[in-house]
Amino acid sequence: MDCVFCKIINNEIPSEKLYEDEDFIIIKDINPVAPVHLLLIYKKHVPTINDLCEDDRRRFWKVFEIIKNISQKLGFDEYRLVVNNGASAGQEIPHIHFHIISGRKLGKIG
Ligand code: 5GP
Ligand code: ZN
């Protein structure tokens, strides 16, 4: 699979994993837009939210708990979550991920 996130998940590309469970990892974005810019990545290669099956969706129940826990662990309690869903929405890597952005005052989204 020629997907950079699959390679990170499979340790074909080395990375510092700030969190890992059976379904998700969290890593730092290589090109951060703020002092905190993390990526929560689904381990299974699913391109967009629209491609999730029912079993996938059930696994997402814990996403907000994972995000709250990492924010408390790293010491930021306010943050922006972004999911670029599809190329015209700014998605460059077609493998589902949440951006977790914090550490500075953020402007309006656009
Ligand atoms: P998208 O545009 O698909 O929503 O976001 C992809 C994100 O992945 C971008 O913010 C980009 O900086 C990040 N990224 C791309 N390649 C790598 C990589 O090899 N390692 C890490 N940690 N982040 C990456
Ligand atoms: Zn992938």
Side-chain angles (χ1 to χ4, degrees):
M1 172 76 67
D2 192 24
C3 167
V4 64
F5 287 169
C6 283
K7 286 180 180 160
I8 287 171
I9 288 157
N10 296 327
N11 296 314
E12 291 164 40
I13 298 174
S15 71
E16 182 193 355
K17 297 190 178 66
L18 305 180
Y19 175 84
E20 179 163 19
D21 67 18
E22 61 276 15
D23 293 318
F24 298 98
I25 62 166
I26 297 179
I27 59 171
K28 291 181 182 170
D29 196 292
I30 203 170
N31 189 16
V33 300
V36 176
H37 187 167
L38 310 178
L39 300 172
L40 181 148
I41 306 172
Y42 190 38
K43 280 191 171 176
K44 181 177 162 190
H45 183 88
V46 177
T48 75
I49 287 174
N50 304 342
D51 302 306
L52 291 168
C53 69
E54 197 173 334
D55 176 67
D56 294 321
R57 285 194 294 271
R58 265 198 285 272
R59 293 170 188 273
F60 274 70
W61 67 269
K62 59 187 168 183
V63 157
F64 298 119
E65 187 181 358
I66 294 168
I67 292 170
K68 181 179 175 184
N69 288 342
I70 193 87
S71 76
Q72 289 181 337
K73 188 174 163 193
L74 300 186
F76 62 94
D77 65 341
E78 299 184 329
Y79 46 86
R80 176 173 290 167
L81 295 182
V82 174
V83 181
N84 296 320
N85 199 63
S88 73
Q91 186 178 15
E92 290 179 353
I93 301 186
H95 178 138
I96 287 188
H97 54 283
F98 286 60
H99 296 255
I100 306 165
I101 300 166
S102 186
R104 68 169 168 82
K105 178 89 172 79
L106 299 169
K108 286 191 185 299
I109 60 170

